[in-house]
Amino acid sequence: MRDPAPTTEPAAAAQSPHARRFGLPIATCLVMGNVIGGGIFLLPASVAPFGTISLVAFGVLTAGAIALALVFGRLAERHPQTGGPYVYARAAFGDFAGFLAAWSYWITAWVSNAALAVAAVGYLTVLFPAAGAHKWSMCLAALAVQWLPALANLAGTRYVGAVQVIATVLKFAPLLLVAVGGLFFFDPANLGPFRATDQSAAGAVSAAAAILLFSYLGVESATVSAGEVRDPARNVGRATILGTAGAAVVYLLGTLSVFGLVAHEKLVSSTAPFTDAVNAMFGGTWGGTVVACAAVISMLGALNGWTLLSAQTPYAAAKDGLFPKVFETKKRGVPVVGVVVTVALASALTVYNYTLGAEGVFESLVLITTFTATVPYLLATAAQIYFLLSGQRERVHPGRLARDGVLAVLAFGFSMWLVAGSGYAAVYQGVLFLFAGVLCYAAMSARKTRATA
């Protein structure tokens, strides 16, 4: 199987004053900023209807996410190019598998942007109640928080990195306040039933995990932007593991604290659970207002990072002739066409979902990304299994063969489990999105064949 050539960037782009490569700290912030984006601020309320069994789902999900991060770290050591799962799938299985990974990841990125924007509006209405007066005022607010990070991206990677560091720092204050301080105000009476639905324990864990996966989307962030990272063979894997592990600690403690601070019946209908948690700790509304500010900043930071990632994968695929050539357009270190097209699609999806009604918009978008995210995850972990079993010594570290094999199998099984838990509706909509790309691949593959004939 032909291995794709490493992605190289034009010297002019690297010398632009608006383009700057990321070091380990910024790459780690990119992972943590994208993982701890909007999920942690809204998901405690989204999984509360399942009961406290969702904490079990969070624990299982955390173990799976760390296994996935370790697999991505190993793959990034051997393939330190922009594109992440796309690069790995194409190296192992050829153009079609690479295209499916790129197409599915691209869908995940811009649908995630729409979901993050919807989540941000829930906290924005705490600060500006008028924004939540009507579904269309909420829709306009969601569109605004999508386009602001897009403008920061268009300014160049230098500004993307700066925004990411600032947003990551600002979000940690309220998260740590609730995650650690909330344990001192913990009231077991608020936890509610262990299993609040009529599903089996396994079914409830799987269903809760399908929603919670959204909170771990982004573990691959550093691998997707590997071409913008200094010494990627060394730093991408480290950033992936450090960022995922740090996010996991904050997630588990934060969710547990919210469950113990906010009464179950109130948490189920909450649109800003961390705000409610801080208000329960200190009384009044000042603490909740501070948390709402930090949550909005956090989600804007996550949108800043996800907007970059959503443009990087089609950029890498376009360089290989698998996406339209226009996606190769890069200025100030950023694939500008990818940014504009992605935010336009996310905006259209946001408007479409609000036409159906504001209720359940976040959950429906999250479940679509749950399915589409598993496609590049499955292909990437399958690529690692292929490399390990095919005896390609240049890609395999002999001393880590058994450990890497176990991790790859666990990560693959974890991804399959997420598909099973995402539900029929999410799989149906996700498959429609996925299969729409087959026509695009047919056209691009034919064009590529004619060009080389």
Side-chain angles (χ1 to χ4, degrees):
M1 185 69 63
R2 183 181 62 85
D3 194 14
T7 301
T8 56
E9 305 300 338
Q15 294 171 359
S16 169
H18 302 289
R20 179 176 295 173
R21 288 187 177 274
F22 305 144
L24 178 60
I26 293 181
T28 303
C29 284
L30 181 65
V31 176
M32 294 190 73
N34 285 355
V35 173
I36 308 179
I40 186 61
F41 288 101
L42 196 60
L43 283 173
S46 297
V47 297
F50 296 102
T52 53
I53 195 172
S54 56
L55 293 173
V56 177
F58 229 140
V60 175
L61 192 66
T62 297
I66 290 175
L68 199 58
L70 290 168
V71 170
F72 278 131
R74 292 285 184 264
L75 287 166
E77 290 177 8
R78 302 298 178 183
H79 298 274
Q81 297 102 39
T82 293
Y86 158 74
V87 173
Y88 316 143
R90 182 169 179 257
F93 309 121
D95 283 354
F96 186 59
F99 173 83
L100 287 179
W103 179 265
S104 192
Y105 190 81
W106 185 47
I107 291 170
T108 300
W110 58 263
V111 174
S112 293
N113 284 0
L116 276 170
V118 171
V121 170
Y123 281 92
L124 199 60
T125 56
V126 174
L127 304 174
F128 306 102
H134 190 272
K135 71 176 182 180
W136 290 115
S137 61
M138 295 172 70
C139 181
L140 287 174
L143 294 176
V145 299
Q146 288 178 54
W147 280 94
L148 286 174
L151 294 176
N153 269 262
L154 294 174
T157 53
R158 177 178 182 177
Y159 303 100
V160 173
V163 170
Q164 205 63 34
V165 172
I166 293 170
T168 301
V169 171
L170 289 177
K171 79 175 65 175
F172 265 91
L175 285 174
L176 291 176
L177 174 66
V178 174
V180 179
L183 297 177
F184 294 96
F185 297 85
F186 191 91
D187 184 357
N190 289 329
L191 292 176
F194 177 70
R195 199 170 70 207
T197 67
D198 57 0
Q199 295 172 286
S200 66
V205 169
S206 293
I211 294 176
L212 289 168
L213 170 64
F214 182 77
S215 61
Y216 276 117
L217 291 183
V219 298
E220 71 295 326
S221 299
T223 70
V224 175
S225 293
E228 317 305 329
V229 178
R230 289 195 298 270
D231 191 7
R234 175 183 175 87
N235 287 332
V236 168
R238 290 184 173 189
T240 300
I241 295 165
L242 288 174
T244 304
V249 173
V250 174
Y251 270 163
L252 290 171
L253 289 178
T255 304
L256 178 62
S257 292
V258 170
F259 271 56
L261 287 167
V262 183
H264 180 261
E265 59 274 11
K266 182 179 180 181
L267 184 59
V268 168
S269 59
S270 175
T271 59
F274 270 74
T275 290
D276 294 336
V278 173
N279 287 341
M281 290 168 65
F282 301 110
T285 60
W286 67 269
T289 301
V290 171
V291 170
C293 287
V296 171
I297 291 171
S298 170
M299 294 180 201
L300 285 172
L303 281 164
N304 175 66
W306 271 108
T307 299
L308 176 64
L309 296 189
S310 63
Q312 293 285 24
T313 296
Y315 165 77
K319 289 183 73 67
D320 295 324
L322 299 180
F323 259 55
K325 189 174 179 59
V326 69
F327 282 93
E328 282 189 61
T329 306
K330 202 170 190 180
K331 296 180 180 178
R332 297 174 290 278
V334 175
V336 290
V337 173
V339 168
V340 173
V341 171
T342 293
V343 74
L345 288 170
S347 298
L349 183 60
T350 301
V351 172
Y352 171 74
N353 275 277
Y354 272 107
T355 61
L356 302 179
E359 280 298 315
V361 172
F362 178 77
E363 286 78 5
S364 63
L365 292 175
V366 162
L367 287 173
I368 293 173
T369 63
T370 298
F371 173 77
T372 56
T374 57
V375 175
Y377 289 175
L378 282 167
L379 288 170
T381 53
Q384 174 72 336
I385 293 170
Y386 168 76
F387 295 144
L388 293 173
L389 295 179
S390 61
Q392 300 187 40
R393 295 185 179 277
E394 71 279 7
R395 290 193 178 94
V396 177
H397 192 297
R400 297 196 301 239
L401 181 61
R403 183 177 61 182
D404 286 352
V406 170
L407 285 172
V409 171
L410 286 175
F412 186 87
F414 167 70
S415 300
M416 286 293 291
W417 174 58
L418 291 171
V419 173
S422 58
Y424 293 111
V427 172
Y428 171 73
Q429 294 179 68
V431 167
L432 290 179
F433 276 117
L434 184 63
F435 283 2
V438 175
L439 182 62
C440 179
Y441 175 79
M444 294 307 303
S445 182
R447 180 178 178 180
K448 185 178 179 182
T449 300
R450 288 199 308 268
T452 56

